C-alpha cells in the first residue's frame, strides 16, 4: 500500500469517528464555511467597507443593507465580511506562534528533564499565574496597539498551555522501549525527537490548537473592543462590536451581528475541538 492510499484510509477512519459526534461535525463544516467566506467574501462584495454615507446612517437591516448600517452609514454586512478574515487570521496566527514556542519548550523540558525541566516549567508557572487577558493587556500597553502586537500578546499566554501538554506527552513517550533502542543504536537527540517523539504527540497538540483558536479569537475581539487591538477604521469584529455599544438601544443591529459572528467562530472551534479529542483518542479506535 502506497503512502497516498494509507493517508486516505487513515483519513476515512478519522472522519468516521468524527462523524459520530454530529455537533463536532457541524462545527467543522461551520469553520470551513467561515474560512471560505473570509477568503472569497471581500472579492465579491461591491461596497467599500469604509465608504461613509450619512444619508443612510443607523438604518436597520433591509434588502439593500442586509445587516443595516452603522453611525457613519457604512454597510455592516460588508464590514463583517472583511473583518471576519482579520479576526480569524489573528486567532490562527497567535495560536501557531504560541504553539511553536510552547512545543519546543515542552519537548526540551520533557526530553532532557533535570535542571532544564525545572527552569522551563517554573517560568511557565509564572506565566500561568496571570490571567491571559491581563497578560495581553499589559504587553499591549508596553508594545502599543497593533495587529502584530495583539498576535504576540495572545501567543504569549498560549505558550505555557502548549508547553505543559507537550511536556507530559513527551514524558510518556520517551520512556518507551523503542526510544531506548534508538538511543542504543546511536540515533541523535534531534532525530529521536523529530522522527519518533513529535509524530506520537501530535494528537493532543492538534486538539489544543483547535480549542485555543477559539480563546484567541475571543481575546483578540476583547482587545479590539477595548481599543487596544485593531484601530479604526479596521472592520475587525471586536472593533465593530465596540462601535455598536453606544447605540445598543437605538440601533442594536450594529452590535448584534458582529457579536453573532464572534459567537459562531468561538462555538465552532470549541465543539470541533471536542470532537477532535474523541476522534484522535486511541482509546476510541
Amino acid at each position: 500500500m502506497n503512502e497516498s492510499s494509507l493517508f486516505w484510509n487513515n483519513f476515512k477512519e478519522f472522519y468516521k469517528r468524527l462523524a459520530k459526534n454530529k455537533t463536532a461535525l457541524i462545527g467543522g463544516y461551520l469553520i470551513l464555511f467561515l474560512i471560505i467566506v473570509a477568503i472569497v467574501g471581500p472579492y465579491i462584495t461591491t461596497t467599500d467597507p469604509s465608504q461613509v454615507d450619512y444619508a443612510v446612517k443607523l438604518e436597520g437591516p433591509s434588502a439593500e443593507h442586509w445587516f443595516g448600517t452603522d453611525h457613519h452609514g457604512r454597510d455592516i454586512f460588508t464590514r463583517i465580511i472583511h473583518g471576519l478574515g482579520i479576526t480569524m487570521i489573528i486567532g490562527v496566527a497567535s495560536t501557531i506562534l504560541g504553539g511553536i514556542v510552547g512545543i519546543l519548550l515542552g519537548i526540551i523540558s520533557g526530553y532532557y528533564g533535570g535542571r532544564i525541566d525545572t527552569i522551563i516549567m517554573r517560568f511557565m508557572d509564572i506565566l500561568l499565574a496571570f490571567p491571559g487577558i491581563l497578560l495581553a493587556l499589559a504587553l499591549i500597553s508596553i508594545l502599543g496597539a497593533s495587529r502584530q502586537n495583539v498576535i504576540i500578546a495572545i501567543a504569549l499566554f498560549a505558550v505555557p498551555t502548549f508547553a505543559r501538554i507537550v511536556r507530559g506527552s513527551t514524558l510518556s513517550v520517551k520512556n518507551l522501549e523503542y526510544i531506548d533502542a534508538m538511543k542504543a543504536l546511536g540515533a541523535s537527540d534531534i532525530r529521536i525527537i523529530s522522527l519518533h517523539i513529535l509524530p506520537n504527540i501530535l494528537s493532543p497538540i492538534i486538539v489544543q490548537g483547535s480549542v485555543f483558536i477559539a480563546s484567541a479569537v475571543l481575546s483578540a475581539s476583547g482587545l479590539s473592543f477595548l481599543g487596544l487591538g485593531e484601530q479604526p477604521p479596521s472592520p475587525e469584529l471586536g472593533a465593530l462590536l465596540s462601535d455598536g455599544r453606544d447605540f445598543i438601544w437605538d440601533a442594536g443591529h450594529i452590535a448584534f451581528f458582529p457579536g453573532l459572528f464572534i459567537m459562531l467562530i468561538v462555538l465552532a472551534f470549541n465543539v470541533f475541538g471536542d470532537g477532535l479529542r474523541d476522534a484522535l483518542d486511541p482509546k476510541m479506535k
Side-chain angles (χ1 to χ4, degrees), residues 54-173:
Y54 289 103
V56 295
K57 68 177 183 178
L58 300 180
E59 284 191 357
S62 63
E64 185 176 358
H65 302 286
W66 291 0
F67 292 171
T69 60
D70 64 8
H71 54 298
H72 292 301
R74 296 172 296 193
D75 184 69
I76 295 176
F77 175 77
T78 302
R79 287 177 65 75
I80 287 177
I81 294 299
H82 283 76
L84 183 62
I86 297 174
T87 301
M88 295 185 72
I89 286 173
I90 293 174
V92 172
S94 58
T95 301
I96 292 174
L97 178 60
I100 290 173
V101 177
I103 290 167
L104 289 175
L105 292 176
I107 288 180
I108 292 172
S109 178
Y111 185 79
Y112 291 104
R115 184 174 296 178
I116 294 177
D117 180 30
T118 301
I119 293 173
I120 292 176
M121 284 301 103
R122 293 301 75 77
F123 182 63
M124 295 300 103
D125 290 340
I126 292 172
L127 292 179
L128 285 172
F130 297 94
I133 191 66
L134 292 182
L135 190 62
L137 283 170
L139 194 60
I140 292 294
S141 300
I142 296 172
L143 299 178
S146 69
R147 184 183 305 180
Q148 293 79 6
N149 292 341
V150 168
I151 292 174
I152 293 172
I154 296 174
L156 181 62
F157 71 83
V159 171
T161 304
F162 279 97
R164 290 173 71 90
I165 290 173
V166 171
R167 174 183 178 270
S169 300
T170 302
L171 286 173
S172 64
V173 173

